[in-house]
Amino acid sequence: RFLLVLLLEPLHGITYACAKTSRVDFVAERSPEGYEASFQGLMAGITGLGCIIGISGGGWAEEVIGAKSMYRILGGLVGFGLLMLMP
């Protein structure tokens, strides 16, 4: 099992790099001329705030309802989101 984790872990680095690159490209395309750097900073701030809220909320949810229930609920939400995105 540990070996499987070691083999799959590099995929996280690839997906993380793709997500960061696409976020930068998304903001660069939609920001007004001359404000590209400001909007990149705003996106970084929003991402940081999301991390703080997510970590705090996840810790609270795990404490209140337990880890297994929390992951089941969040897995259901992700599945529902995928169904909503499918044409």
Side-chain angles (χ1 to χ4, degrees):
R1 197 168 207 167
F2 182 71
L3 184 60
L4 180 64
V5 171
L6 286 178
L7 290 173
L8 294 176
E9 187 60 28
L11 294 176
H12 177 262
I14 294 168
T15 57
Y16 182 80
C18 290
K20 277 283 216 197
T21 304
S22 64
R23 183 173 41 211
V24 168
D25 187 54
F26 177 82
V27 173
E29 285 180 359
R30 285 157 180 80
S31 57
E33 185 81 25
Y35 290 96
E36 293 88 356
S38 297
F39 276 75
Q40 291 296 339
L42 181 63
M43 178 57 86
I46 291 170
T47 302
L49 183 62
C51 289
I52 292 168
I53 292 170
I55 290 170
S56 300
W60 174 81
E62 184 179 5
E63 191 174 302
V64 171
I65 63 173
K68 191 178 275 190
S69 296
M70 180 185 73
Y71 280 104
R72 286 181 177 159
I73 291 168
L74 293 175
L77 286 172
V78 168
F80 178 73
L82 284 172
L83 288 175
M84 293 291 105
L85 289 174
M86 292 178 129

